[in-house]
Amino acid sequence: MTGLGHRLHRPGSTPVHRLPPQCKLVATAAFVLAVVCTPREAVWAFGGFALLLAAVAALARVTPGFLVRRMAVEVPFVAFAVLLPFVARGPRVEVLGLALSQSGLWSAWNILAKASLGTAASVLLAATTEPRQLLLGLERLRLPPLLVQIATFMLRYADVIVGEMRRMRLARAARGFDGRDVRAFGVLARSAGALFLRSYERGERVYLAMLSRGYDGRMPVLNEIAATRAQWAVAAVLPVAAVLVASGAWMVG
Amino acid sequence: MTPSLEVSGLAYAYPDGTQALYGVDVTIGKGERVALLGPNGAGKTTLVLHLNGILHGGLGTVRVGGLTVDPKDRKGLREIRRRVGIVFQDPDDQLFMPTVREDVAFGPANLGVGGAELERRVETALARVGMLEVADRPPQHLSFGQRRRVAVATVLAMEPEILVLDEPSSNLDPAGRRELAEILLGLDVTMLMVTHDLPYAAELCPRSLVLSGGVIAADGPTPEVLGDEALLRAHRLELPYGFDPAFFARR
Ligand SMILES: Nc1ncnc2c1ncn2[C@@H]1O[C@H](COP(=O)(O)OP(=O)(O)OP(=O)(O)O)[C@@H](O)[C@H]1O
Ligand SMILES: [Mg+2]
């Protein structure tokens, strides 16, 4: 399988996988919100959040190795956080012979902890929910239908466009084109233009095909399955626990 | 009996000025299977897009089962699009939903069908083209031949009175081509099939039209049309080497 999102998804049939996507989306968002609202000085609370996620990961049979590898998107933020103790002003502390800014250290910790927890939660969501299901979840949460439609089409046609791109590259290579030259830029720019035109024309043809089958601006609702109360309750366990931890952190601190 | 399709005096120019049709007259009776032949650029696709009101604004009229195609009449247009099912040339254009099942459901759902009836239509249509087992897969993961068959199913699910196919046999391997022919022969609908594949026309359609330069150049029984060498040569049509149209005339 190629394509967007498929590398993130791990098929399975655990209770986490089986929850309706809209429940998981809301649970993830609420969890992240609770994490973000927690004061950075309450270090123990972040340990608690991490434990909660670890429990969900274990339930979903997502291995720690997979989780860590997929969290690589976070790296730029980490790099930024590492800089902070060096550049921030204010009182300094001595760490391993280096004078680091105290507030910078706290800021770095704040970014690192919250970003990691947020990323881990999103990776877990993506690992247990097919991209298609995610979109269905968004639709059922009454997101603007146009946005969901656009994302749905992206999901459907990403492979087609990537395939077209690959064929164009092959066609260039077959006629002796070598992209490692400065003069190549012009050719590449024209190829990009051609790709855009082709995608645009495809869009037009798809639209005609949709009209032919009675499309009048609104997608028909095909998957209107409401989640049961029990399912919402199960999904609520994670955010409720997180909110408890976060309020604990406020009261203690 | 009112004919399924009546096109009269249809002329059309694209917005950029290209005149594609110069006055086309065609009548197709109920239950007929007709091939629409013609060289590249003859205007075949342009004609097809007129049959359900996607293209309009030129001269002439199109009537489907007695109902005139009128772009201003939205309710009538909806009915026309239910009656005329078009299978486009590239299945990737036709299959735009995330799964096969949703794609087949798209048309009937737009017509207001829902619930168990929608389910039944989807299953029947997929079963008719032998694609029930791929119902829950995304279209982009199917082979080309499977996608073509699913494209036919998306239209069958709308239970059209006229099935219009734009080059249904193109890019299919010989077995896929034959299997599609068997499916099409088993359908009880009026059929208009655009094709460059003359033996396919001979096999599936008793009657053939030749569209060339935006006008109908010939209209008759397929064996006669394909047997007229001068006509074929004049309109850039060629039979495959060794093919004998008389074989079909005898059947
Ligand atoms: N969108 C468009 N804008 C302008 N001209 C067009 C457009 N589409 C088609 N044409 C022109 O209209 C004429 C008829 O095209 P059409 O696509 O109907 O031919 P066709 O018979 O389907 O050909 P083919 O066998 O290659 O599919 C051609 O001259 C073509 O260049
Ligand atoms: Mg065409």
Side-chain angles (χ1 to χ4, degrees):
Chain A
M1 280 220 244
T2 53
L4 288 176
H6 288 302
R7 270 170 306 163
L8 275 173
H9 182 240
R10 309 210 87 192
S13 60
T14 69
V16 184
H17 282 87
R18 283 199 306 267
L19 270 184
Q22 62 268 42
C23 303
K24 286 191 268 189
L25 276 163
V26 171
T28 310
F31 174 82
V32 172
L33 211 65
V35 170
V36 170
C37 290
T38 304
R40 59 190 186 183
E41 288 80 7
V43 176
W44 62 270
F46 293 98
F49 294 138
L51 277 181
L52 285 176
L53 284 188
V56 174
L59 193 61
R61 304 231 166 121
V62 175
T63 57
F66 177 84
L67 205 58
V68 170
R69 257 177 289 130
R70 292 298 177 250
M71 280 171 69
V73 285
E74 205 201 351
V75 166
F77 298 96
V78 175
F80 177 66
V82 166
L83 278 180
L84 277 177
F86 295 97
V87 296
R89 302 209 190 124
R92 304 253 145 189
V93 287
E94 194 84 5
V95 181
L96 300 171
L98 287 170
L100 299 179
S101 155
Q102 210 170 357
S103 69
L105 271 178
W106 274 120
S107 301
W109 155 254
N110 192 33
I111 292 179
L112 212 60
K114 291 181 178 176
S116 304
L117 286 168
T119 318
S122 316
V123 170
L124 271 179
L125 174 66
T128 57
T129 322
E130 277 177 60
R132 169 68 197 133
Q133 293 295 319
L134 276 178
L135 291 172
L136 277 181
L138 292 174
E139 194 177 294
R140 290 176 199 155
L141 289 174
R142 300 280 177 274
L143 231 75
L146 198 60
L147 288 183
V148 181
Q149 269 183 49
I150 291 175
T152 310
F153 280 114
M154 269 171 62
L155 191 64
R156 164 68 181 88
Y157 285 100
D159 288 356
V160 176
I161 292 174
V162 168
E164 217 140 298
M165 217 157 75
R166 195 171 300 138
R167 283 196 297 278
M168 284 167 71
R169 195 177 61 224
L170 271 180
R172 287 198 303 264
R175 282 180 280 159
F177 176 77
D178 180 9
R180 269 186 286 270
D181 198 323
V182 200
R183 282 169 300 172
F185 284 160
V187 176
L188 289 179
R190 270 194 296 281
S191 295
L195 186 67
F196 174 77
L197 271 185
R198 280 193 203 183
S199 308
Y200 181 81
E201 281 168 2
R202 164 145 350 244
E204 242 174 13
R205 291 199 305 271
V206 170
Y207 181 63
L208 291 187
M210 291 172 73
L211 283 182
S212 294
R213 286 198 277 148
Y215 178 73
D216 58 2
R218 260 172 310 132
M219 274 326 221
V221 180
L222 297 174
N223 299 287
E224 191 62 16
I225 309 162
T228 63
R229 262 159 208 258
Q231 285 168 324
W232 278 112
V234 171
V237 171
L238 175 73
V240 166
V243 166
L244 285 180
V245 172
S247 24
W250 275 106
M251 281 188 275
V252 174
Chain B
M1 200 165 66
T2 44
S4 275
L5 186 70
E6 288 172 278
V7 179
S8 58
L10 190 67
Y12 182 79
Y14 279 99
D16 69 351
T18 315
Q19 184 83 27
L21 300 177
Y22 287 89
V24 171
D25 298 285
V26 174
T27 303
I28 296 177
K30 238 187 177 66
E32 264 195 293
R33 285 200 305 274
V34 181
L36 182 59
L37 314 174
N40 287 133
K44 302 182 295 294
T45 301
T46 309
L47 175 59
V48 164
L49 290 177
H50 274 90
L51 301 184
N52 67 355
I54 296 251
L55 287 182
H56 50 78
L59 299 172
T61 57
V62 177
R63 286 153 72 80
V64 177
L67 190 63
T68 306
V69 177
D70 174 7
K72 284 188 283 297
D73 170 15
R74 293 188 69 84
K75 241 181 107 213
L77 208 56
R78 203 182 163 82
E79 174 59 18
I80 299 271
R81 289 186 180 159
R82 186 192 71 71
R83 290 187 191 177
V84 183
I86 301 185
V87 180
F88 287 88
Q89 202 167 342
D90 184 348
D92 269 331
D93 296 343
Q94 180 121 19
L95 307 177
F96 43 78
M97 295 291 275
T99 65
V100 166
R101 185 186 297 279
E102 286 167 275
D103 213 302
V104 178
F106 179 86
N110 277 329
L111 299 175
V113 178
E117 166 69 4
L118 185 61
E119 194 81 350
R120 185 196 66 78
R121 287 232 198 160
V122 171
E123 310 248 309
T124 322
L126 281 173
R128 267 160 108 182
V129 298
M131 286 283 105
L132 203 49
E133 66 271 25
V134 303
D136 293 306
R137 292 181 55 192
Q140 63 266 37
H141 293 161
L142 303 181
S143 78
F144 191 89
Q146 288 176 317
R147 269 180 281 167
R148 175 64 54 71
R149 289 209 228 169
V150 172
V152 173
T154 64
V155 169
L156 290 183
M158 300 178 76
E159 304 189 341
E161 282 154 38
I162 310 176
L163 184 62
V164 182
L165 304 127
D166 202 348
E167 304 192 25
S169 66
S170 64
N171 287 323
L172 291 184
D173 63 18
R177 179 177 171 279
R178 177 182 50 75
E179 284 161 7
L180 186 66
E182 282 162 11
I183 291 166
L184 295 178
L185 279 172
L187 300 175
D188 181 27
V189 288
T190 309
M191 203 163 91
L192 180 66
M193 186 173 91
V194 174
T195 187
H196 293 290
D197 182 345
L198 302 186
Y200 215 53
E203 189 181 344
L204 289 173
C205 305
R207 177 181 160 201
S208 284
L209 306 168
V210 175
L211 185 69
S212 184
V215 293
I216 297 290
D219 178 355
T222 305
E224 263 174 47
V225 171
L226 296 187
D228 186 342
E229 270 180 55
L231 175 81
L232 295 188
R233 210 170 313 113
H235 301 293
R236 294 176 56 84
L237 296 172
E238 277 179 28
L239 291 168
Y241 179 74
F243 179 80
D244 177 12
F247 169 74
F248 283 92
R250 280 194 301 271
R251 284 209 316 187

